[in-house]
Amino acid sequence: MNQMQITQPDDWHVHLRDGDMLNHVAPYTAKQFARAIVMPNLQPPVTTVKQAVEYVDRIVNAVGDSQFEPLMTLYLTDDTSAEEIILAEKSCFVKAVKLYPAGATTNSSAGVTDIRKCDDALAAMQEAGLPLLVHGEVTDPDIDVFDREKAFIDQVLMPLMNRFPRLKIVFEHITTADAVDFVLNTGLTIGATITPQHLLLNRNAMFKGGMRPHNYCLPVLKREQHRQALLHAATSGNRKFFLGTDSAPHSKDKKENSCGCAGIFSAHAAIEMYATAFEEQNALDKLEAFASFNGPDFYGLSRNTETITLERTPWQIPDSYPLAGGDTLIPMMSGETINWKLIK
Ligand code: DOR
Ligand code: ZN
């Protein structure tokens, strides 16, 4: 297959940031995806519908005359009220609420200290049918960083599901065979997103010939056996798994630092990288469901009607992209050749 036409995909998990960074990165997402679920971990975080409306304006402004539709999220805190959830549901453009365990990752300090403090908000979400998007890692420093997703399933997710059995939950950016098994063995209220980096890279990629900060994200890359489990899940055709890049840009300075930020920028070539992963599994015929059908079906939204075309044309990913003030952004697969290219 040298050319492939699929229904236009959506990105069910992206960090578009704000200010100059937003203006630089949003056009990459808008070029390939019709819609995207936009993460709320700004500084300060997007905790109210009012802040989300203002953020929508800035995103629309950043993508110019593109038809791209941002789907907004609220940042859950210990104090999120049921009233705010009801306002969110009524707004029609807030599509989900994001759980960051406090201290789990970038800009999560305002996150949830104990999920039981959020019972009012969670009950309102369950009634409204508003999904909870979870960053699924415990924050206990005594738990090995590679085991934090598994511990989250046991300590937080299972009890949460039992307390709110009708709450829709998206287990975001899953990284382990344990998470795949959990999603497969639970009911239709649970879905999961999978990133390009967790499909294409295992943890060796962080240490190839030296420290590779641009391959560092959270949840951190795992062993090859986990990558294989994710590849199987994504290409299985199972409707619970869908595309979410977790594209998370940080400037080169912030990545190449004595305490480098977590996050991999992938929006420049996201759909091409997913195509590469699916081809590795001989499963290009499963890409459309994963990228374009399963996400809207889970969220109860209509599927897109436009199409995109990918062509087998090797091209070299730039080493870096310029940012304001002379800074640069190092993309995933920087300087490498990729075999698929989005042509329209
Ligand atoms: O690697 C990550 N980067 N993981 C996250 O959960 C947050 C994200 C960011 O905002 O940079
Ligand atoms: Zn994220």
Side-chain angles (χ1 to χ4, degrees):
M1 202 194 296
N2 288 322
Q3 223 187 52
M4 183 172 34
Q5 194 180 57
I6 61 168
T7 301
Q8 190 171 17
D10 304 300
D11 184 350
W12 298 95
H13 183 133
V14 69
H15 298 266
L16 293 180
R17 309 300 194 210
D18 214 343
D20 285 336
M21 185 66 100
L22 167 65
N23 294 329
H24 275 100
V25 300
Y28 293 106
T29 294
K31 190 177 149 202
Q32 51 195 304
F33 299 111
R35 300 168 288 195
I37 283 276
V38 181
M39 287 298 122
N41 63 332
L42 305 183
Q43 271 175 322
V46 180
T47 54
T48 64
V49 176
K50 181 168 179 289
Q51 287 170 306
V53 181
E54 292 161 3
Y55 191 24
V56 169
D57 278 348
R58 300 197 295 278
I59 295 169
V60 169
N61 197 39
V63 299
D65 55 10
S66 151
Q67 296 296 301
F68 173 73
E69 184 188 356
L71 308 174
M72 306 310 289
T73 60
L74 294 189
Y75 185 113
L76 188 67
T77 71
D78 290 353
D79 303 319
T80 304
S81 65
E83 289 74 36
E84 197 66 42
I85 299 298
I86 291 162
L87 275 182
E89 191 229 346
K90 289 207 176 112
S91 78
C92 289
F93 64 86
V94 174
K95 298 293 183 196
V97 177
K98 177 69 189 269
L99 162 62
Y100 287 106
T105 187
T106 310
N107 297 345
S108 63
S109 54
V112 171
T113 60
D114 181 344
I115 190 69
R116 281 164 300 200
K117 293 190 172 162
C118 303
D119 276 5
D120 289 352
L122 294 168
M125 287 167 61
Q126 178 167 258
E127 285 321 304
L130 206 58
L132 178 71
L133 314 183
V134 300
H135 182 108
E137 290 190 290
V138 294
T139 53
D140 180 349
D142 290 338
I143 302 208
D144 190 282
V145 70
F146 291 96
D147 298 333
R148 288 183 189 171
E149 187 172 271
K150 165 96 175 76
F152 184 87
I153 295 170
D154 301 335
Q155 294 175 21
V156 184
L157 210 42
M158 301 245 219
L160 178 67
M161 267 181 50
N162 292 333
R163 284 189 301 125
F164 297 98
R166 290 180 292 112
L167 179 65
K168 274 185 162 179
I169 299 176
V170 183
F171 197 169
E172 298 286 342
H173 41 55
I174 57 169
T175 64
T176 57
D178 310 281
V180 169
D181 288 344
F182 171 80
V183 173
L184 287 175
N185 292 321
T186 46
L188 288 175
T189 51
I190 311 289
T193 54
I194 307 182
T195 74
Q197 63 265 27
H198 294 104
L199 291 176
L200 288 171
L201 306 174
N202 66 33
R203 65 191 196 175
N204 288 345
M206 286 185 294
F207 308 106
K208 196 173 159 201
M211 284 281 288
R212 300 285 181 170
H214 300 290
N215 288 335
Y216 171 60
C217 65
L218 286 171
V220 72
L221 297 172
K222 303 294 191 307
R223 285 178 182 276
E224 178 62 12
Q225 78 198 63
H226 295 294
R227 186 180 82 93
Q228 288 297 330
L230 296 171
L231 274 171
H232 281 115
T235 60
S236 66
N238 188 304
R239 301 178 55 185
K240 296 177 124 195
F241 300 102
F242 41 93
L243 184 159
T245 61
D246 198 18
S247 181
H250 293 278
S251 67
K252 180 172 187 266
D253 282 4
K254 294 215 167 96
K255 294 286 296 173
E256 297 178 12
N257 190 292
S258 62
C259 186
C261 292
I264 296 179
F265 175 64
S266 60
H268 60 297
I271 193 64
E272 291 102 325
M273 291 193 278
Y274 281 109
T276 305
F278 275 62
E279 186 164 46
E280 180 184 325
Q281 290 295 106
N282 283 321
L284 281 172
D285 59 321
K286 298 288 199 309
L287 180 63
E288 185 176 42
F290 175 80
S292 315
F293 297 161
N294 298 351
D297 293 357
F298 182 88
Y299 275 83
L301 299 173
S302 56
R303 295 178 180 180
N304 296 318
T305 49
E306 302 288 306
T307 59
I308 60 161
T309 304
L310 290 161
E311 196 173 77
R312 189 190 301 285
T313 304
W315 61 287
Q316 197 183 2
I317 293 184
D319 290 340
S320 67
Y321 293 100
L323 293 174
D327 224 331
T328 57
L329 181 59
I330 310 292
M332 184 173 163
M333 290 183 70
S334 155
E336 291 180 43
T337 298
I338 186 162
N339 287 334
W340 288 95
K341 191 164 181 28
L342 177 68
I343 55 167
K344 65 178 167 52

